[in-house]
Amino acid sequence: MKKILLAAVLFIATSATIQAQLLKIGVKAGVNFANQTGDFPDQIDKEGITSYHAGLVAEVKLLDKFSIQPELLYSTTGASYKLSGVSEDIKNELGYISIPVMAKFYLNNTFSLEVGPQASFLVSERNDFDVKNGETFEFGVNAGLGVKLTENFFLQGRYGLGLTEASKNADVKNSVFQISAGFMF
């Protein structure tokens, strides 16, 4: 009976260690350098905005050099517009719940290439003018580079490009460059 109990304890301890190596949960936050692409009339000058993102991240190790990294983020994107003859800028800031699912290819123990799709759901829209024209769903793709500083701390740089329209009334798509820092538990 003691041998069975000892074997069960060793099995549970080994399973917990293996699971801890296969699944990691963490948090990340960072800065967004966002802009919007599309066809704009000559009398409109467009500039990007600086905003933020923050949320939860998980990493599921499937192979020695390959992982899947799903994330749940709050992220803001948009742009600032200046119309000819108007003294004030118009700032359009869109807040999304974003769900990127990144395929993560490790080049070595420190660096990884990341690529994957992203679904985003509009939850807030802040404009300097009274128009509610944002699409409620956006689909896009992301690509970037990750750096593990330690076993728990990481940095990421990522470019995201919206493939669907961000506005109901214009041919506008979001694009964003993100720099993130995070911690895996």
Side-chain angles (χ1 to χ4, degrees):
M1 184 69 173
K2 290 181 184 178
K3 289 181 183 179
I4 294 174
L5 186 58
L6 181 61
V9 168
L10 287 174
F11 177 74
I12 291 170
T14 304
S15 295
T17 302
I18 290 171
Q19 277 190 329
Q21 292 175 353
L22 296 180
L23 173 66
K24 291 187 177 185
I25 307 291
V27 293
K28 72 181 252 184
V31 64
N32 288 351
F33 300 101
N35 210 335
Q36 293 180 324
T37 62
D39 294 326
F40 297 97
D42 291 337
Q43 63 266 26
I44 297 178
D45 286 331
K46 175 183 58 75
E47 291 184 11
I49 63 170
T50 302
S51 57
Y52 65 94
H53 64 276
L56 303 173
V57 59
E59 184 173 344
V60 182
K61 188 173 184 177
L62 300 178
L63 299 171
D64 187 41
K65 300 283 186 186
F66 178 73
S67 297
I68 298 293
Q69 182 172 303
E71 301 174 6
L72 180 63
L73 305 173
Y74 179 78
S75 183
T76 55
T77 63
S80 180
Y81 299 93
K82 183 169 183 79
L83 291 105
S84 296
V86 178
S87 61
E88 292 185 28
D89 290 353
I90 298 170
K91 185 176 180 181
N92 184 25
E93 188 174 288
L94 305 170
Y96 290 96
I97 296 294
S98 298
I99 306 169
V101 179
M102 306 300 288
K104 201 168 179 178
F105 303 93
Y106 280 95
L107 304 175
N108 55 33
N109 290 336
T110 304
F111 295 99
S112 63
L113 293 176
E114 304 168 1
V115 63
Q118 175 174 297
S120 298
F121 302 91
L122 184 66
V123 293
S124 69
E125 184 174 6
R126 191 173 76 203
N127 300 306
D128 288 341
F129 56 101
D130 188 24
V131 176
K132 297 289 184 193
N133 67 350
E135 289 288 353
T136 57
F137 176 78
E138 181 187 47
F139 182 78
V141 293
N142 296 316
L145 179 67
V147 179
K148 281 174 88 172
L149 299 176
T150 68
E151 193 60 36
N152 298 89
F153 288 101
F154 64 89
L155 296 175
Q156 291 175 324
R158 181 181 296 171
Y159 178 75
L161 177 64
L163 299 177
T164 58
E165 302 295 327
S167 173
K168 294 176 184 175
N169 301 327
D171 180 23
V172 174
K173 295 178 182 170
N174 288 316
S175 68
V176 63
F177 179 71
Q178 297 178 326
I179 299 174
S180 310
F183 182 82
M184 298 298 260
F185 300 100

